[in-house]
Amino acid sequence: MVMRVFVAGGSGVLGQRLVPQLVARGHQVTATTTSRAKLDLLERLGADGVVMDGLDAAAVGEAVAAARPDVVVHQMTAISMAHAGKPDIKHPDRWFAKTNRLRTEGTDHLLAAAEATGVPHFVAQGYASWNGIREGGWVKTEEDPLDLLEGTAANVGLKALSRVEDVVLKAGGAVLRYGAFYGPGAIDDQVELLRKRQYPLVGRGTGYSSWVHLDDAASATVLAVEQKARGVYNIVDDDPAPASEWLPYLAGCAGAKRPRRVPVWLARLLAGDQAVVMMTEGRGFSSAKAKRELGWEPRYPSWRQGFKEELA
């Protein structure tokens, strides 16, 4: 069934992989960008491009009403160099400040516009990489609570993600908790740091993370759109792994030397609590529910294959 799909954030790293997959399935896509310069890009991807500020309630309402979509897909973030500047993992509250607003105010604006226009379905971006609750096993399902890192600079952003889940589920929509993205344009900054030997392992690197290729995240999103999915789904590959495995492997694929190792106390001083938790205590995730209920199968079941292809 052909659907009219409104992709908020269509010019982002995931949006650029999602729009062509939706178009290839025959759907009519309206995709937004904050930059008029990217309208040509969206047109080349097969979408009707719209310039929209996700923090402007009136602009959001007008864009959604004009598109008359069957589903709204919320992929708005602002963590590129152009929007947020150089990555600052020590101060995620500052680095993600605008993204946090897009995940709170922006979500509210999109939901209000969807309700006013009579849009029956809503899909939003969540996150599930290293942020599972730090107790019990190393791999978590949708039934396990997320870790909000109370008392740290990361808490603001993690609470914003938690709020997305609360309001979207209340509206009868779906939240796709994507693992850490890799793929075209997604990890360039990390690769650069590795080549400069400025991305060290913390402690013993025992913390787990989950990854997902952008194309696999996009294919899961297409399924959630077409099946009118509701609820929370972890969208991650089949290989959650500790930092002691994935970071040296990524360095090797990038042609970089093996990462240095720094003690926890020094990492906390230099990079902050989030980096320490991610690398020493992080919990990965399982995508069994998405496979079972959506019929999703990642093209890249492991980052080991994906990193190698991406950096070949």
Side-chain angles (χ1 to χ4, degrees):
M1 183 178 67
V2 174
M3 302 173 72
R4 294 188 301 274
V5 185
F6 185 92
V7 180
S11 63
V13 290
L14 178 55
Q16 290 184 44
R17 314 304 288 187
L18 172 60
V19 168
Q21 289 196 29
L22 288 165
V23 171
R25 302 276 288 183
H27 302 303
Q28 299 172 11
V29 180
T30 299
T32 78
T33 177
T34 57
S35 170
R36 190 165 295 279
K38 289 188 176 180
L39 289 175
D40 286 345
L41 166 65
L42 292 175
E43 183 177 345
R44 290 196 302 272
L45 295 177
D48 294 324
V50 176
V51 176
M52 184 189 83
D53 179 356
L55 297 177
D56 182 334
V60 173
E62 290 169 8
V64 173
R68 298 181 298 109
D70 300 302
V71 56
V72 168
V73 181
H74 178 2
Q75 301 287 0
M76 296 188 299
T77 61
I79 53 178
S80 67
M81 284 284 288
H83 290 290
K86 186 178 178 181
D88 185 1
I89 195 170
K90 186 175 182 180
H91 304 104
D93 51 338
R94 302 178 196 171
W95 181 24
F96 278 79
K98 188 171 183 181
T99 292
N100 292 337
R101 289 187 65 197
L102 288 167
R103 286 173 169 162
T104 51
E105 299 166 47
T107 302
D108 289 347
H109 297 334
L110 283 170
L111 284 169
E115 183 177 11
T117 310
V119 180
H121 193 217
F122 196 99
V123 177
Q125 178 182 134
Y127 184 66
S129 177
W130 52 267
N131 53 318
I133 193 73
R134 286 173 286 159
E135 57 186 44
W138 291 96
V139 180
K140 303 301 181 183
T141 72
E142 292 83 355
E143 301 301 314
D144 296 300
L146 298 177
D147 190 343
L148 300 185
L149 266 68
E150 299 283 352
T152 75
N155 178 245
V156 176
L158 293 170
K159 281 202 304 185
L161 284 163
S162 180
R163 185 180 180 279
V164 169
E165 295 192 3
D166 290 343
V167 297
V168 172
L169 296 187
K170 185 177 179 181
V175 176
L176 305 184
R177 293 177 179 169
Y178 303 116
F181 289 147
Y182 70 95
I187 56 171
D188 295 352
D189 55 341
Q190 296 177 61
V191 169
E192 182 181 352
L193 290 173
L194 280 167
R195 288 173 174 159
K196 294 178 178 178
R197 301 205 79 194
Q198 294 176 0
Y199 194 165
L201 268 174
V202 177
R204 296 174 61 190
T206 49
Y208 273 60
S209 291
S210 285
W211 292 85
V212 67
H213 191 283
L214 288 168
D215 288 339
D216 287 329
S219 69
T221 309
V222 172
L223 291 172
V225 165
E226 293 181 340
Q227 298 177 31
K228 300 179 177 61
R230 303 184 187 280
V232 173
Y233 294 87
N234 297 334
I235 306 300
V236 297
D237 73 17
D238 300 336
D239 195 9
S244 60
E245 290 186 24
W246 66 258
L247 189 62
Y249 187 90
L250 179 57
C253 291
K257 293 181 179 178
R258 189 172 181 84
R260 294 185 174 94
R261 190 181 297 269
V262 300
V264 168
W265 68 266
L266 182 58
R268 182 168 281 114
L269 185 67
L270 296 176
D273 295 300
Q274 178 175 311
V276 170
V277 169
M278 180 184 78
M279 284 210 177
T280 63
E281 299 181 81
R283 263 53 172 181
F285 292 84
S286 164
S287 61
K289 179 183 177 183
K291 291 181 173 183
R292 183 177 65 250
E293 297 188 9
L294 301 179
W296 177 66
E297 286 293 338
R299 176 184 172 194
Y300 297 94
S302 172
W303 46 268
R304 298 172 204 270
Q305 168 200 2
F307 288 174
K308 187 176 292 186
E309 287 191 22
E310 184 66 22
L311 295 167

